Each structure stands twice: as structure tokens, then as C-alpha cells.
Amino acid sequence: MICLNLVYLFFFALFNSQVLEGESAALRDEFSKNDFLQIAFQLDKLSDTKRDLLIKDLDIIVIPTASFSLENSVTSNIAQKITDLTEKKVNILTDKTFERQEIADLSKDNLGTISKDAAKKAGSKNYLAVILFDKSKDAPTNVGIAEGGRTIAFFEGRIAELSETPSVLDDLRVSTVLHEYGHLIGLEHNNNEGCLMNEKVESPGNNWSSSMPEDFCDFELSQIEDLR
């Protein structure tokens, strides 16, 4: 293995990361499977994470806490929608580390550590962690926030305030994860009322409207194609 890594380092002296960005996408994907090469060729950048979330099989790791969890019907719907979008396999995993306690620290570093630890335990290389909280102190109207490239802070306490109808709340839970997933793959907010990346989906005010979008619109789907 050491000799093989030295051979790859020799190629690194000949080909810089710009080459791997272009026509050698297949070589880039192959190198990204090896932790040593991923660092040597600088393939652990945020741009690579965004691309991996879109073009590779994905593990969604749900991290419930003492007060909050997600029903299987919700996570299955999320997995199906991302599968339909990416045409890749999506697995739903659950990390129960915090199921008997709460996570108080919403700092980016802490969320990233929790996500990486969960992925390491699951043996997952390409993952998206969904961590359940009550509400955000910094953005109390938000139902979710995308953090650190692979993490969604999901504010179940805030979502529960928006409707008394279970089916409406489930739709909102799915839309929240998809919206934040959109941010993680590179989409920005837009002003189109019929699009999932409208800012109102992330911060819907006092009431969730049944007219709120639940899927990426044609404009967003075109953007996603450009990101592949």
C-alpha cells in the first residue's frame, strides 16, 4: 500500500488538481475512494462534497434526540425523492447516540463532529446527517439549516408549531430536508413561489401553506443538471 501511494504521489507531481477537475473525472472519482489520495490530491474540498452528494450512492444518517425523532414514512419519502432526483441508491440509517439526551450546542464544529462520528460508526463514506433539535436560537423561525457540507440541523420543535394536521407536518418535514439538501449540493435561494428553494420553505413564518412547494421546480432541476 505504501508503494502504491508513492506511485500516486509521483502522478501528483505531474498532474495538479486542475487536471483532475476537467477531463479526468473518472480518475478523480477513483482517487477519492482512498483517504490518503483524497488528501494528497485535495479531493476533500467542499466542491467535491457537493458533487458526491449528487452523483453517488448516499447514506442519510438520522440522529434523533430524547425529544425528537422522524417516522419511517417520512424518511422513506425523503429517500425516494432523492433517489428519483439522483438515480442513485439512498439508504436511511439511524444513529442512536443521543436518543436519551439532547444536543445543546449548535456550533458548526460540533455539528460536523457529530456527523463525522456517526458516519464513521456506520462505515459510510458518502453521507448526509440529519440532526434533530427543538429550535434555533439564532434563527428561531427556521425549520432547518444546512451546515458544514454534510449536515442538516432539523428543528422539529419549530415544525410542530406550524400546523395541527399530521399530514401537513409530514410534508413540511420532507420539504425541509430536501430544501437543505439543495443548499448542500450548491443551490441558492430563489424568489419563485413555486420552487422548493424559495426562502419561505426554510423560514415559513407562522403558518405552513398547503400551496408551499414540495419538490424541486423545473428551474431548479435545470440548475441541478448543471451541477452534475
Side-chain angles (χ1 to χ4, degrees):
M1 178 60 70
I2 294 175
C3 292
L4 182 60
N5 287 336
L6 289 175
V7 171
Y8 283 133
L9 281 178
F10 170 75
F11 280 105
F12 179 61
L14 299 178
F15 303 101
N16 60 29
S17 60
Q18 291 181 340
V19 173
L20 293 177
E21 287 280 3
E23 299 178 355
S24 302
L27 185 63
R28 184 183 187 85
D29 288 342
E30 190 64 29
F31 282 13
S32 68
K33 297 176 184 178
N34 181 290
D35 291 340
F36 173 81
L37 300 177
Q38 196 173 54
I39 296 172
F41 283 89
Q42 300 178 347
L43 300 180
D44 55 345
K45 297 179 297 183
L46 185 58
S47 58
D48 296 292
T49 297
K50 291 178 179 179
R51 187 166 179 268
D52 286 352
L53 291 174
L54 186 58
I55 69 168
K56 295 182 178 181
D57 292 347
L58 179 66
D59 291 330
I60 298 179
I61 305 175
V62 179
I63 304 177
T65 54
S67 301
F68 307 109
S69 60
L70 288 179
E71 296 291 336
N72 289 339
S73 59
V74 173
T75 57
S76 295
N77 196 1
I78 292 167
Q80 187 59 57
K81 285 181 178 290
I82 295 180
T83 294
D84 292 343
L85 177 70
T86 63
E87 299 182 346
K88 297 297 180 180
K89 184 178 180 181
V90 178
N91 301 308
I92 298 294
L93 309 176
T94 302
D95 183 286
K96 297 183 178 181
T97 301
F98 298 96
E99 68 175 350
R100 298 183 184 278
Q101 62 188 95
E102 305 294 351
I103 304 173
D105 188 356
L106 277 177
S107 70
K108 182 175 180 179
D109 289 342
N110 189 45
L111 292 180
T113 299
I114 292 171
S115 299
K116 289 177 181 178
D117 287 349
K120 185 176 181 180
K121 284 189 291 183
S124 177
K125 290 287 187 179
N126 192 43
Y127 67 91
L128 167 64
V130 180
I131 308 177
L132 277 63
F133 296 93
D134 182 13
K135 300 176 187 177
S136 169
K137 294 179 181 179
D138 296 329
T141 62
N142 277 40
V143 292
I145 295 175
E147 285 286 1
R150 290 188 180 274
T151 306
I152 294 173
F154 183 96
F155 303 119
E156 174 62 21
R158 171 58 181 151
I159 290 174
E161 295 177 342
L162 297 175
S163 176
E164 295 181 354
T165 305
S167 61
V168 172
L169 290 174
D170 283 349
D171 288 343
L172 176 52
R173 292 176 179 113
V174 174
S175 296
T176 296
V177 173
L178 291 177
H179 178 98
E180 302 308 334
Y181 171 79
H183 282 314
L184 292 175
I185 63 174
L187 298 182
E188 302 288 344
H189 284 148
N190 61 59
N191 296 321
N192 191 327
E193 294 289 340
C195 289
L196 186 59
M197 296 309 296
N198 188 296
E199 189 171 8
K200 290 181 180 179
V201 175
E202 185 173 83
S203 184
N206 293 325
N207 293 287
W208 176 256
S209 169
S210 60
S211 64
M212 286 283 198
E214 298 174 11
D215 293 289
F216 292 108
C217 64
D218 289 342
F219 169 69
E220 292 161 349
L221 291 174
S222 177
Q223 288 183 310
I224 290 171
E225 280 303 311
D226 291 339
L227 293 171
R228 292 183 190 275

